[in-house]
Amino acid sequence: MYLEKAAPRPDPEGCLTAAIRIPVRIVVLVVVVPVRLVWDALVLCGGFLGRVLLRPLGRAYDWFHAHVLAPVGRAVARMAEAVATATWWLCKAVFYWPWLGLWRYVVVPIAVHLIARPVAWLYRAVLTPLGHGLARATAWVYARLLAPFGRGAGLALWAVLVWPWTAMWRYVAVPLASGTYRYVLTPLGHALTWLGRGVAWLGKGLAAGLMWLGKVLVVVPAVFLYRWVLTPVGRVLALIGREIADALAVAWRVAGYVSLAVGRALKWLAWNLVGLPVSWFYRSVCTPVGHVVRDAVWRPARKAAVETGRAVRGALASARETVRRARRDAWHALVGGERQPEPVNAIRGQARNLGGAAPQQTVPGVVAETEISLHKRG
């Protein structure tokens, strides 16, 4: 049998934690409960406004955009496109095509036939041979005259300007500089090197002394201050902050329960003061009155309106048929021609012949007769 590992026990809390937790939670609860009530009220108002105002406004805006703004925008866009196209064609017709025709059929032929061809002939027949002759003459002059003269002048200038300075550099400046470097600058550099090493050792000693002094005057007091002042104060502040956060969480949950209880109480009060009387008035007064109005006023009025509409449509149809026949008779009387016989409907007839005969047509606009049974006909 294996022994189960016991769960680790939480660290014991000191008296300072308990002394801080209770007042902090009481103060936070007193502060958070009104805030939570206001927050829940704002949430309810926001939901009500969203359902009653914002959503209908959004749907109205969508309908307005779909049926008004979008068609108007498309019409304006098409109109602007048509205007832009017409303007573009007009600009091309006024500014582009005339200059294109002028360039293509006037400037280019004139430049080709009156300028380019004569210039090409002048280049081939005159300038090219003249240039070849000048090039050959220049080459002969350079080879026979300028080149020998230039070589002689170069040797004279080298002998006068370059050779003296070269000899001075090689036989005077170089030996003097090497002797100065070897017998003057090198010993001086060694002396300066030893002097720099001494200064470096002195600087290291001063730096070590300053570091020890800074450690004694700055680091040790700073460590003492951090270890014995800032750390305890930070732990106390962290404890207070953690307790405040826990108190806020607990107070927010408690305020939620309080807000829920207040909301249910207000709902019950509103239902008993407003909802029940309104529902009783609707069931006991408005519903019977609506039924009476529907049965005594609305249905007879609708039935009378339907019958009137049918009679008016029948009268209009009969008037149209009469006008059509009068127009046809007048046309035959003026033009002539064989008149086609037309069937004449009976003015009065039975709605249904239960004896087996075909049903008779009625005049448009006249209400059909009631059915006649066989025992009534005898």
Side-chain angles (χ1 to χ4, degrees):
M1 182 177 180
Y2 297 98
L3 296 176
E4 296 182 357
K5 186 177 180 180
R9 295 181 180 180
D11 296 333
E13 296 179 351
C15 59
L16 180 62
T17 303
I20 293 175
R21 179 178 297 170
I22 296 175
V24 166
R25 290 195 175 185
I26 292 174
V27 173
V28 170
L29 181 63
V30 173
V31 174
V32 169
V33 168
V35 176
R36 182 60 186 266
L37 292 176
V38 174
W39 174 259
D40 292 339
L42 291 176
V43 170
L44 291 176
C45 293
F48 177 75
L49 289 177
R51 291 191 302 270
V52 175
L53 181 62
L54 298 180
R55 290 181 183 176
L57 286 178
R59 295 191 185 99
Y61 175 74
D62 292 338
W63 180 89
F64 182 73
H65 180 271
H67 293 84
V68 178
L69 294 181
V72 170
R74 287 193 291 268
V76 171
R78 291 175 182 173
M79 187 180 299
E81 183 179 2
V83 171
T85 304
T87 305
W88 172 248
W89 282 100
L90 182 62
C91 291
K92 289 180 68 175
V94 173
F95 298 103
Y96 177 71
W97 290 335
W99 295 102
L100 179 62
L102 181 64
W103 172 261
R104 183 176 297 176
Y105 300 108
V106 178
V107 177
V108 172
I110 290 175
V112 170
H113 296 288
L114 297 181
I115 299 175
R117 290 183 179 178
V119 170
W121 177 84
L122 180 64
Y123 176 77
R124 288 195 306 271
V126 178
L127 297 180
T128 301
L130 182 62
H132 290 172
L134 291 176
R136 291 175 182 175
T138 304
W140 183 86
V141 170
Y142 176 78
R144 301 299 180 182
L145 297 178
L146 296 180
F149 179 75
R151 285 194 290 269
L155 291 175
L157 291 175
W158 183 83
V160 174
L161 298 177
V162 177
W163 185 81
W165 295 103
T166 303
M168 186 181 292
W169 170 261
R170 183 175 297 175
Y171 300 108
V172 177
V174 171
L176 182 62
S178 62
T180 303
Y181 175 76
R182 182 176 297 176
Y183 298 107
V184 177
L185 296 179
T186 300
L188 182 61
H190 291 170
L192 292 176
T193 302
W194 286 103
L195 181 62
R197 290 179 181 178
V199 172
W201 291 339
L202 181 61
K204 289 182 180 180
L206 291 176
L210 292 175
M211 289 179 63
W212 180 82
L213 186 62
K215 182 178 180 180
V216 172
L217 295 179
V218 178
V219 176
V220 173
V223 170
F224 176 80
L225 179 65
Y226 174 78
R227 182 176 297 174
W228 301 103
V229 177
L230 295 180
T231 301
V233 172
R235 289 177 181 176
V236 172
L237 293 178
L239 176 63
I240 294 174
R242 185 171 60 251
E243 293 298 329
I244 290 175
D246 296 339
L248 284 175
V250 174
W252 188 260
R253 290 195 297 270
V254 173
Y257 296 139
V258 173
S259 176
L260 181 62
V262 172
R264 289 179 179 177
L266 293 176
K267 181 180 178 181
W268 179 84
L269 187 63
W271 172 252
N272 288 306
L273 294 179
V274 180
L276 285 178
V278 170
S279 62
W280 175 85
F281 181 77
Y282 176 77
R283 289 195 305 269
S284 302
V285 179
C286 295
T287 301
V289 171
H291 290 173
V292 170
V293 170
R294 183 190 61 188
D295 296 335
V297 178
W298 173 247
R299 287 182 178 175
R302 186 177 62 180
K303 186 176 181 181
V306 171
E307 296 295 336
T308 303
R310 290 178 181 175
V312 170
R313 286 194 298 271
L316 292 176
S318 178
R320 284 195 298 270
E321 184 67 24
T322 303
V323 171
R324 190 179 298 111
R325 289 181 181 178
R327 186 172 61 250
R328 189 180 299 113
D329 293 340
W331 175 257
H332 285 293
L334 293 175
V335 178
E338 184 179 359
R339 183 175 181 183
Q340 298 294 333
E342 297 180 357
V344 179
N345 297 326
I347 297 177
R348 295 182 61 84
Q350 296 177 352
R352 185 189 298 176
N353 191 351
L354 299 179
Q360 297 179 357
Q361 298 179 356
T362 58
V363 177
V366 179
V367 181
E369 294 182 353
T370 57
E371 299 179 356
I372 302 175
S373 60
L374 293 176
H375 71 274
K376 287 185 179 181
R377 293 178 58 189

